[in-house]
Amino acid sequence: MKRLTETEFRNKITWMTFILSCLVVMIHSYNADLFIEAEETGLFAEGLKLAQSLVSLAVPSIAVPGFFIISAYLFYRGISWQEIPGKMTRRVRSVLIPYIVWNALYYLLFLVVSRIPVLSAVAGKGTVTFSLENLADAIINYTYNPVLWYMQQLILLIALAPAVYAVMVNAWTGAAAIAVMLYFLGRATVIPVLNLDALLYFSSGAYMALHGGRFVEKRDGSGAVSWILKEGAAVAGVLLCIWMFWTTHHYANFLTAVLYGLLAPVTIWIALPSGRLPSPAPWMKESFFLYAFHFLVVRTLNKAASFVLPHTAAMAFLMYLAVLVAAVLLAWGTSEFLKRKMPPLWKLLSGGR
């Protein structure tokens, strides 16, 4: 079984994280409520509302679990006990500091914007007042950039990294722990502070890194049989995901919801070619910056456009696509500007990525 080279593996990770980041942008690009009037009916309008609603339901359980799995896989890939403290220390720079800086900047931005009448209407937060208490709330509870809830959970999971490693390093105890988590998730169990499903995804990524690396990083075979097996696995994954998604929302089944969250990103990974992907374009390489930056862009553009553009299903569709492209390009352009003109700030925002 041939494995990917380090360059090929990193390229595939970049493709995967870019795809997941774009899916997150699509979640927050929802604009049917802004552009489609209640009296507008017809197949296109109803289909668009349904499609955007399905994206809002289906995609969060793909993108965020995928990020947890990838984060854990990269943390535990080829790791030993001795390396864990160093990796945790590096995550302070790459995760904790950006989390603090992004939340603080969003708070300061809304503080200014809320005092400009036209922009305040777009922001929709009312008048934001300054206090150390409000600043602390914005940082701890991601008040003005809700997409950063993922990073808050990731910080907690990294703090638990030694415990996760102690359990997952043994294939049997790791499998048993995952089974126990699935059992309690099936019973919709809630634990304080940490999301149990986030712990499941993180632990599953750790398990893959510690025991399944040769399969995760397997290079695609060149024969017809290898192609059929790979494509067959991807198709089977898609069909299972569809069934799990339907079961989840038809029967309110939380177990199939978390299984869907596990299988969907794995299916995307399987579907992506291994060893045959082209090098990612420059605008694909700042997925974290896109993730943290996009919420402001998509909501501002959609809300501002809804004030001046016709309220039709066609316009909703065009803006839905336009804000995705705009978010990717603006994130890339802003990151390039910061790298050249404000490198210290860039390092804080990007975590040194």
Side-chain angles (χ1 to χ4, degrees), residues 60-207:
S61 295
I62 300 174
V64 176
F67 282 126
F68 282 126
I69 292 170
I70 290 172
S71 296
Y73 189 94
L74 294 176
F75 187 96
Y76 291 100
R77 183 178 181 241
I79 203 174
S80 64
W81 272 114
Q82 293 74 22
E83 295 171 291
I84 289 178
K87 283 210 168 186
M88 292 178 70
T89 300
R90 290 193 291 275
R91 292 312 187 270
V92 171
R93 182 188 68 179
S94 63
V95 179
L96 178 59
I97 292 176
Y99 175 77
I100 294 171
V101 174
W102 274 105
N103 280 324
L105 284 178
Y106 263 79
Y107 171 62
L108 294 175
L109 177 64
F110 275 92
L111 191 68
V112 173
V113 165
S114 70
R115 285 159 172 75
I116 303 172
V118 174
L119 297 180
S120 178
V122 173
K125 288 285 188 179
T127 301
V128 178
T129 58
F130 178 79
S131 71
L132 293 179
E133 182 181 353
N134 288 343
L135 175 60
D137 177 66
I139 291 172
I140 295 170
N141 298 314
Y142 45 86
T143 309
Y144 297 94
N145 193 3
V147 300
L148 292 188
W149 75 267
Y150 155 76
M151 290 186 69
Q152 185 206 58
Q153 291 293 300
L154 184 59
I155 290 164
L156 297 173
L157 291 165
I158 292 169
L160 293 173
V164 172
Y165 180 79
V167 175
M168 294 297 150
V169 71
N170 181 281
W172 292 105
T173 60
I178 289 171
V180 169
M181 283 186 276
L182 284 170
Y183 169 77
F184 283 108
L185 283 166
R187 297 175 64 86
T189 303
V190 177
I191 60 176
V193 184
L194 181 66
N195 291 355
L196 186 56
D197 55 340
L199 179 60
L200 171 71
Y201 301 135
F202 190 82
S203 300
S204 299
Y207 192 89

Side-chain angles (χ1 to χ4, degrees), residues 17 49-50 57 99-100 118 152 170 174 189 229 295 353:
T17 54
K49 285 191 283 188
L50 177 61
L57 285 173
Y99 175 77
I100 294 171
V118 174
Q152 185 206 58
N170 181 281
T189 303
L229 289 174
F295 188 73
R353 288 173 178 82

Side-chain angles (χ1 to χ4, degrees), residues 241-276:
C241 285
I242 293 172
W243 175 78
M244 288 175 181
F245 179 75
W246 180 85
T247 302
T248 296
H249 294 281
H250 191 72
Y251 296 107
N253 189 324
F254 199 62
L255 179 59
T256 54
V258 295
L259 289 172
Y260 169 79
L262 278 174
L263 182 59
V266 170
T267 300
I268 296 174
W269 182 266
I270 292 171
L272 284 172
S274 292
R276 295 181 288 110

Side-chain angles (χ1 to χ4, degrees), residues 288-312:
F288 171 71
F289 192 84
L290 172 61
Y291 181 91
F293 178 76
H294 80 275
F295 188 73
L296 177 67
V297 174
V298 296
R299 292 309 292 173
T300 299
L301 289 179
N302 267 325
K303 282 192 174 183
S306 71
F307 292 147
V308 297
L309 295 177
H311 286 199
T312 65

